[in-house]
Amino acid sequence: MKFTGKVWKFRDDVNTDEIIPARYMNTSDPKELAKHTMEDIDKDFMKKMKPGDIIVGGKNFGCGSSREHAPICLKEAGVACVIAKSFARIFYRNSFNMGFSIVESQEAAEDIKEGDTVEVDLGNGVINNKTTDKAYKVAPYPKFMQELINAGGLMKYVQRQK
Amino acid sequence: MGMTITEKILAAHAGKKEVKPGELIWAKLDIVLGNDITAPIAISEFKNAGAKKVFDKDRVCLIPDHFTPNKDIKSAEQAKVLREFAREQKLKNYFEVGKMGVEHALLPEQGIVTAGDAIIGADSHTCTYGALGAFSTGVGSTDLAAAMISGKTWLKVPEAMKFVFKGKLSKWVTGKDLILHVIGDIGVDGALYRSMEFCGDTIENLSMEGRLSMCNMAIEAGGKNGIIAPDKITKEFLKGRSERKPVFFASDKDAKYVDVREYNAAKIEPTVSFPHLPSNARPLSKVGNVKIDQVVVGSCTNGRIEDMRLAAKIIKGKKVHSTVRMLVIPATQAVFMQMFKEGLTEIFVNAGAAVSTPTCGPCLGGHMGILAAGERAVATTNRNFVGRMGDPKSEVYLASPAIAAASAVTGKISGPEELH
Ligand code: SF4
């Protein structure tokens, strides 16, 4: 998988209430939810971003609630992938289970600036910052997780086990 | 090599003699849990996968607690999804409004979760049940769907951190203050992916309510689970309550921890977490003059009977300040009933507080006490993120029921001592 997009940069500890405020949680319709993506941290985010853009966060991205609505929102809004120094545990798990791409890279998350154009090549484990021409290696997913991906996500994997 | 209590529980549920941090396992689950926000997505995934039946109708719990009693039409639709699924699957542990309580208060109280269990819940505060000596952790809706079908989940065995508390707690200091202090110390990602084990003589003398508050907030430090080894207090609590036979695990003396922290608990003050992160913790003496508009006593962190007694003791015979709204929300119907019996409801109502039926309500900015821009609340809840209780420009200060009740009287963040 390969994505190229423009970067929107966020600070450390972006929490799930900022990604999708709990007050909108009375529905699970992705289209409804996506309208409010990142609303409490940047209320104009949905006006500014274009599908295919990439989010770069700091440490502990997606902390807080276990709600899958957070990665669902980002995916539905058209965010291609999130790069961060580290991810909160449940957000990581959820993204992974539902096939939303997230990449952990301390260095890339530090260097990349808002507005840069970045290419993420998951297959080869590289992030290329096209604006600065700098490349970053990323660690491949653990083998077990690759198996889940190959099976087509957790639900497919579980069905096959049955 | 010795194992921690968490590793032992996980090994037992993975059918292994031993597990090591970093190892990926499939664990059999004793209980899986969902609520009116997370379960509708899981139920639709369950159906999309062509599943017909949950793995065990006694082990899947659905609790409509967040936006109930239904706050609007959309949330009514969500709750309806749960209700219909629970009927269709004949779930034993579905709790309708009137019996419903906040999930993490309800499950331990009803004896649905017990020592030695492995539990996942599609709610981040599922880590609460570690107080009983269980492994429990929050997951997302897809995990819930998969677990409802298979009764299993994939887990990475976490590294462990140990938090040792020594000494006798000062007056008005509770489990809530200890955990706010810890989060202030290590930060909101200080225990990321890790297990947080609480021990020491302070914990051994801490009530089950206090332990539940502590484990409840493990997630606020990024922790995978919080856990306390079962002891006399645990056994006493589980007696006559636990539906299944509890299994008591303890960490080995030579178990491995990536970090061990010791705290002189006698020195810890009542603690308040300032906006907008639980880690912005300050001792009460350093809080300064913070005027408030609302006080909330309730939630899965501090909505139990001990919390209600503590708040009532402080507010008894006094009045809620003229510029403050005070909301008291018992976490379960049993707590509510006990409040009536002990005359606590009367104390709160006489003081000018609003007392409501159990709900998550304002804790997540859902309903029943939303803040306007610029307003401030002291809450016994667990999160003070931007917009958590209402407008993104409102503020939430996290504290114990003692601080919350005292603040309701003075109209600013205060300790009970200030009322004399
Ligand atoms: S009381 Fe608050 S933290 Fe607890 S389950 Fe409800 S919304 Fe979540």
Side-chain angles (χ1 to χ4, degrees):
Chain A
M1 267 194 283
K2 223 175 184 179
F3 317 100
T4 309
K6 203 177 117 191
V7 165
W8 299 99
K9 198 156 180 187
F10 290 90
R11 57 164 160 72
D12 287 346
D13 303 315
V14 170
N15 66 66
T16 48
D17 282 283
E18 290 167 327
I19 299 172
I20 173 71
R23 56 183 178 277
Y24 301 122
M25 219 88 316
N26 53 1
T27 177
S28 44
D29 175 9
K31 288 209 172 56
E32 274 296 309
L33 291 169
K35 289 183 197 157
H36 307 288
T37 309
M38 301 307 249
E39 188 174 291
D40 279 2
I41 188 164
D42 178 357
K43 66 176 175 19
D44 296 325
F45 181 74
M46 286 307 287
K47 283 187 214 138
K48 298 187 296 198
M49 69 88 63
K50 288 200 188 60
D53 285 356
I54 289 170
I55 283 180
V56 176
K59 70 174 176 67
N60 202 25
F61 188 92
C63 63
S65 149
S66 69
R67 65 185 75 120
E68 213 147 299
H69 308 66
I72 287 175
C73 252
L74 293 169
K75 197 178 177 187
E76 183 68 25
V79 173
C81 126
V82 181
I83 302 169
K85 287 184 193 165
S86 64
F87 290 91
R89 188 188 67 81
I90 308 175
F91 183 88
Y92 186 88
R93 195 179 167 101
N94 286 344
S95 301
F96 190 80
N97 281 342
M98 58 173 275
F100 177 63
S101 302
I102 52 175
V103 187
E104 214 170 65
S105 169
Q106 179 85 28
E107 235 196 315
E110 198 134 300
D111 288 3
I112 296 171
K113 299 211 163 44
E114 178 140 319
D116 287 0
T117 300
V118 163
E119 178 194 79
V120 180
D121 180 347
L122 287 176
N124 292 312
V126 208
I127 300 171
N128 276 310
N129 188 340
K130 301 263 200 189
T131 307
T132 59
D133 242 350
K134 201 168 166 198
Y136 308 87
K137 275 216 87 55
V138 290
Y141 291 125
K143 188 163 150 279
F144 168 80
M145 294 188 146
Q146 281 175 19
E147 276 170 30
L148 277 192
I149 295 180
N150 292 339
L154 179 65
M155 291 310 288
K156 295 249 165 59
Y157 187 91
V158 168
Q159 273 169 273
R160 220 160 63 186
Q161 302 276 302
K162 264 273 183 183
Chain B
M1 190 67 220
M3 284 198 284
T4 66
I5 175 168
T6 296
E7 288 157 10
K8 285 186 185 175
I9 298 173
L10 291 178
H13 286 80
K16 293 183 161 203
K17 268 217 173 66
E18 196 186 68
V19 295
K20 288 202 171 64
E23 198 176 327
L24 286 149
I25 56 163
W26 281 93
K28 265 186 80 175
L29 298 165
D30 295 295
I31 292 291
V32 306
L33 163 75
N35 60 44
D36 52 323
I37 290 186
T38 57
I41 299 179
I43 291 167
S44 100
E45 290 190 52
F46 179 93
K47 295 197 165 143
N48 286 342
K52 293 277 176 299
K53 269 204 149 88
V54 298
F55 78 104
D56 184 339
K57 66 176 181 46
D58 296 346
R59 290 173 187 262
V60 175
C61 304
L62 295 183
I63 320 256
D65 56 355
H66 280 61
F67 294 142
T68 54
N70 304 334
K71 89 161 179 141
D72 56 15
I73 297 169
K74 282 183 187 165
S75 53
E77 295 294 339
Q78 300 280 91
K80 195 171 160 207
V81 173
L82 259 70
R83 184 175 306 122
E84 286 178 350
F85 186 76
R87 280 195 197 138
E88 165 200 313
Q89 297 287 328
K90 303 193 168 55
L91 300 187
K92 182 175 148 208
N93 294 310
Y94 167 75
F95 293 83
E96 192 51 88
V97 169
K99 300 184 192 74
M100 171 274 289
V102 177
E103 48 197 331
H104 311 306
L106 193 66
L107 264 56
E109 173 196 285
Q110 296 293 316
I112 297 167
V113 289
T114 194
D117 276 359
I119 303 144
I120 62 163
D123 188 277
S124 57
H125 294 102
T126 304
C127 51
T128 310
Y129 323 133
L132 304 174
F135 171 84
S136 62
T137 193
V139 296
S141 297
T142 304
D143 281 305
L144 171 60
M148 287 199 301
I149 299 173
S150 67
K152 288 190 292 186
T153 199
W154 67 270
L155 292 167
K156 190 162 149 190
V157 179
E159 292 180 318
M161 284 174 95
K162 182 150 90 173
F163 299 83
V164 190
F165 296 87
K166 289 190 174 151
K168 194 167 172 286
L169 293 179
S170 314
K171 199 164 183 201
W172 309 119
V173 176
T174 66
K176 178 66 163 288
D177 302 288
L178 297 184
I179 190 68
L180 291 180
H181 182 85
V182 166
I183 299 165
D185 179 31
I186 65 173
V188 286
D189 63 345
L192 195 60
Y193 302 121
R194 291 174 174 169
S195 164
M196 300 173 80
E197 194 172 321
F198 305 111
C199 61
D201 60 274
T202 318
I203 304 297
E204 282 157 27
N205 290 310
L206 193 65
S207 66
M208 186 47 74
E209 280 95 341
R211 296 176 184 192
L212 288 159
S213 300
M214 289 189 77
C215 291
N216 175 269
M217 290 193 74
I219 179 70
E220 260 59 68
K224 181 166 199 149
N225 68 320
I227 198 159
I228 294 171
D231 59 7
K232 274 213 310 274
I233 290 175
T234 322
K235 286 180 189 159
E236 195 54 43
F237 179 83
L238 294 174
K239 215 162 79 193
R241 188 190 297 266
S242 184
E243 286 176 355
R244 286 167 291 110
K245 201 171 175 299
V247 186
F248 302 106
F249 290 96
S251 295
D252 291 325
K253 287 225 160 54
D254 58 345
K256 229 180 118 196
Y257 297 90
V258 286
D259 193 3
V260 179
R261 282 162 186 266
E262 279 205 23
Y263 297 91
N264 181 350
K267 285 241 170 79
I268 294 175
E269 276 185 56
T271 303
V272 179
S273 284
F274 274 50
H276 287 285
L277 283 178
S279 54
N280 291 335
R282 292 193 202 172
L284 185 60
S285 58
K286 300 237 162 63
V287 160
N289 187 14
V290 183
K291 283 215 163 55
I292 56 159
D293 306 282
Q294 176 164 304
V295 165
V296 177
V297 178
S299 86
C300 58
T301 321
N302 286 111
R304 300 180 183 82
I305 191 64
E306 185 186 88
D307 304 310
M308 298 299 158
R309 285 183 191 134
L310 180 56
K313 183 172 162 186
I314 288 158
I315 210 150
K316 188 175 181 178
K318 304 200 169 56
K319 291 282 176 219
V320 173
H321 195 271
S322 60
T323 61
V324 175
R325 290 107 52 188
M326 183 182 191
L327 305 166
V328 178
I329 311 177
T332 69
Q333 290 287 70
V335 174
F336 205 2
M337 193 57 125
Q338 192 61 29
M339 284 170 63
F340 281 117
K341 284 189 187 148
E342 296 181 19
L344 309 183
T345 316
E346 211 179 319
I347 293 172
F348 289 123
V349 173
N350 276 337
V355 185
S356 108
T357 193
T359 180
C360 290
C363 172
L364 79 161
H367 60 152
M368 293 290 298
I370 303 308
L371 299 173
E375 289 192 323
R376 291 197 185 117
V378 175
T380 66
T381 56
N382 47 40
R383 287 199 176 128
N384 55 356
F385 298 154
V386 173
R388 177 71 179 180
M389 200 172 276
D391 190 275
K393 290 201 186 70
S394 61
E395 294 182 346
V396 177
Y397 295 74
L398 305 174
S400 75
I403 303 294
S407 307
V409 176
T410 61
K412 61 183 185 64
I413 300 181
S414 313
E417 305 296 348
E418 288 170 56
L419 301 185
H420 301 301

